[in-house]
């Protein structure tokens, strides 16, 4: 996203996005869905790229999952039209989304895998973590493990939750448990519900992936054991992130530090959320 954005349009978009991320899709009333659509479209018309990206998403998938709250039919042609405009402006997210359109052949983007990967590569070069993840998957399939990890690290260093999860699992599978748990904790800060789920599982059952004495013996010195209070807190965070993956839990270590640190009191997930995190440019 551009470093400079019109404050009024950006705020209109952000407030609408907050409402959109506040509930599961079927829980919205028609009035709420209409307000979301109206405000995001207005912000997009005013030129905010985040709002345009969200409108592209709405046009691709529609808005309102029930007959009672359905306010927008899917229109892939309009979605791709917005994405092309973003790609022309060299927006990394637009280049990536256009690659997705070509890979799957929808809207006005005909099926063309080679063109799709050209867009993914350019998007990754410009910093799209989603494109970097796509390249990581391709490198993995080709057996290029070193290049896969480099791409995952590029996305992880940008605070990308899915990349953190992939790196954490890789470390755990290879027996680097301390590294994997640390990355998992960072992934929770980035908003990864998968990382929160795995940490919840660890403190629920005392192991990560394998119910074996070997893994338990390796994890026990790191403080990984059955811990009802830690499991309860990670469970609450997981539930919150499943609804709102926009949350950035930069204060996580203050209210839910990894062992051997003791747990301080907490009043809920909001204690871990970065204040005014929505004031930063977001997709």
């Amino acid at each position: 996203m551009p470093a400079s954005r019109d404050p009024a349009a950006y705020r209109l978009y952000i407030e609408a996005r907050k409402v959109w991320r506040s509930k599961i899709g079927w829980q919205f009333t028609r009035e709420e869905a209409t307000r979301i659509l109206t405000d995001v479209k207005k912000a997009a018309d005013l030129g905010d790229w985040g709002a345009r990206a969200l409108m592209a998403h709405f046009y691709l998938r529609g808005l309102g999952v029930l007959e009672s709250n359905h306010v927008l039919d899917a229109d892939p042609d309009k979605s791709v039209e917005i994405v092309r405009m973003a790609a022309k402006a060299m927006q990394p997210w637009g280049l990536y989304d256009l690659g997705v359109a070509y890979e799957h052949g929808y809207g006005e983007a005909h099926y063309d895998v080679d063109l799709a990967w050209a867009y993914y590569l350019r998007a990754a070069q410009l910093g799209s973590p989603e494109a970097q993840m796509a390249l990581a998957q391709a490198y993995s399939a080709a057996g290029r493990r070193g290049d896969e990890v480099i791409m995952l690290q590029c996305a992880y260093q940008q605070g990308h939750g899915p990349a953190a999860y992939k790196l954490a699992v890789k470390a755990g599978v290879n027996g680097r448990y301390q590294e994997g748990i640390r990355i998992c904790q960072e992934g929770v800060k980035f908003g990864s519900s998968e990382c929160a789920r795995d940490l919840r599982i660890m403190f629920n059952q005392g192991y990560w992936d394998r119910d074996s004495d070997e893994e338990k013996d390796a994890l026990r010195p790191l403080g990984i054991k059955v811990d009802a209070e830690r499991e309860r807190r990670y469970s609450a965070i997981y539930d919150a992130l499943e609804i709102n993956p926009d949350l950035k839990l930069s204060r996580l270590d203050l209210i839910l530090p990894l062992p051997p640190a003791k747990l301080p009191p907490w009043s809920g997930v909001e204690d871990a959320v970065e204040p005014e995190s929505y004031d930063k440019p977001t997709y």
Side-chain angles (χ1 to χ4, degrees):
M1 294 296 157
S4 177
R5 296 165 78 166
D6 177 77
Y10 180 65
R11 177 52 58 184
L12 186 65
Y13 155 62
I14 287 299
E15 291 302 323
R17 189 181 180 99
K18 284 182 180 180
V19 178
W20 177 56
R21 288 301 204 192
S22 67
K23 299 178 182 179
I24 302 171
W26 59 265
Q27 295 177 324
F28 289 111
T29 64
R30 183 180 297 276
E31 291 73 20
E32 289 171 326
T34 299
R35 174 192 163 192
I36 293 167
L37 179 61
T38 299
D39 288 352
V40 173
K41 188 176 187 305
K42 184 176 180 181
D45 291 342
L46 290 171
D48 187 84
W49 279 110
R52 288 173 174 173
L54 191 51
M55 280 305 304
H57 174 82
F58 289 159
Y59 279 129
L60 184 60
R61 302 182 181 277
L63 181 59
V65 297
L66 302 176
E67 184 178 349
S68 61
N69 66 12
H70 186 73
V71 295
L72 184 70
D73 292 332
D75 189 337
D77 287 348
K78 287 186 177 180
S79 177
V80 172
E81 181 182 337
I82 295 172
V83 168
R84 284 192 187 281
M85 181 170 57
K88 186 176 180 179
M90 298 304 288
Q91 295 269 333
W93 70 267
L95 292 162
Y96 170 74
D97 280 6
L98 192 53
V100 174
Y102 276 112
E103 183 178 8
H104 297 282
Y106 60 77
E108 294 181 353
H110 58 278
Y111 175 73
D112 189 327
V113 175
D114 290 339
L115 191 54
W117 281 103
Y119 277 113
Y120 288 156
L121 178 59
R122 189 68 181 117
Q125 290 169 338
L126 291 176
S128 165
E130 291 82 9
Q132 290 162 356
M133 293 292 287
L135 289 177
Q137 185 176 355
Y139 287 140
S140 175
R144 294 170 59 178
R145 305 301 182 189
D147 290 328
E148 175 197 5
V149 171
I150 288 172
M151 285 294 99
L152 291 174
Q153 286 285 358
C154 285
Y156 171 71
Q157 292 297 330
Q158 296 186 76
H160 193 58
Y165 180 70
K166 288 278 189 182
L167 287 169
V169 169
K170 281 183 174 294
V173 167
N174 290 304
R176 304 192 312 273
Y177 295 113
Q178 187 168 24
E179 176 188 346
I181 292 167
R182 177 186 59 78
I183 294 174
C184 224
Q185 178 83 341
E186 290 300 305
V188 177
K189 296 178 190 177
F190 299 159
S192 169
S193 63
E194 292 175 306
C195 286
R197 179 199 62 204
D198 276 25
L199 285 165
R200 178 191 67 183
I201 289 171
M202 287 184 224
F203 290 110
N204 172 265
Q205 59 193 19
Y207 59 89
W208 191 350
D209 182 55
R210 295 181 292 274
D211 185 7
S212 65
D213 290 339
E214 181 183 0
E215 182 169 303
K216 290 178 182 178
D217 289 344
L219 290 174
R220 196 172 297 113
L222 303 177
I224 304 300
K225 59 183 180 180
V226 174
D227 186 325
E229 180 57 22
R230 278 191 164 87
E231 189 274 337
R232 183 178 74 87
R233 296 189 187 189
Y234 281 114
S235 182
I237 289 171
Y238 169 79
D239 290 340
L241 290 174
E242 279 287 277
I243 296 173
N244 185 4
D246 284 350
L247 292 176
K248 302 301 179 188
L249 283 72
S250 63
R251 296 165 53 85
L252 181 68
D253 290 337
L254 298 178
I255 57 94
L256 187 45
L258 290 171
K262 294 183 178 180
L263 291 178
W266 89 323
S267 57
V269 176
E270 62 275 5
D271 289 351
V273 177
E274 178 181 350
E276 296 300 318
S277 60
Y278 273 100
D279 285 343
K280 299 180 179 179
T282 184
Y283 184 105

